[in-house]
Amino acid sequence: MRVTRLQGKRDKLEAASGRILAELGSSMSENSYSSNMMSDIDFLFPEPVSKAFDVMMSDKDKDGLKKKHYFYDIARAMKKVLKDIDDQIDKEVLGKKTA
């Protein structure tokens, strides 16, 4: 049951990250961020993702190269969240097999 819950959480976050990253790219180029996207980052994802986003937002001197780096940092934080859930699932599955 725990594996099913973790997989559901992972699927939800993977879908959200795809949607957010697609929107984030255009938002960064237009310097216009939707409240829906920002609240998803703040409340759906763990702190490392919202922290990476906050660092970007607090930089008032973002040029094109900096924006690319910020985008990568946010995408990387999202992928790390997914990997951590995959690791939890693996631990649950392996733990049940050896128990």
Side-chain angles (χ1 to χ4, degrees), residues 2-3 6 83-99:
R2 180 158 165 74
V3 171
L6 286 169
K83 184 195 178 310
D84 290 347
I85 294 172
D86 285 340
D87 291 347
Q88 289 176 7
I89 291 170
D90 288 346
K91 184 178 177 182
E92 285 291 320
V93 171
L94 294 175
K96 289 179 181 178
K97 285 184 178 180
T98 60

Side-chain angles (χ1 to χ4, degrees), residues 4 8 10-11 14 19-20 25-26 32 48 52 62-63 65-66 70 74 77-78 81-83 85-86 92 96:
T4 302
R10 189 202 185 287
D11 292 346
E14 184 174 39
R19 180 178 34 72
I20 289 168
S26 61
S32 177
K62 292 184 283 288
D63 62 16
L65 183 58
K66 277 186 173 181
Y70 286 130
I74 294 165
M78 287 179 172
V81 168
L82 297 176
K83 184 195 178 310
I85 294 172
D86 285 340
E92 285 291 320
K96 289 179 181 178

Side-chain angles (χ1 to χ4, degrees), residues 24 27-28 31-34 37-38 41 50-62 70 74:
L24 183 61
S27 295
M28 290 172 85
N31 199 30
S32 177
Y33 304 88
S34 76
M37 181 192 70
M38 292 190 308
I41 290 170
S50 59
K51 188 173 181 178
F53 182 75
D54 290 343
V55 167
M56 180 203 62
M57 292 298 286
S58 67
D59 186 349
K60 303 300 180 205
D61 251 353
K62 292 184 283 288
Y70 286 130
I74 294 165

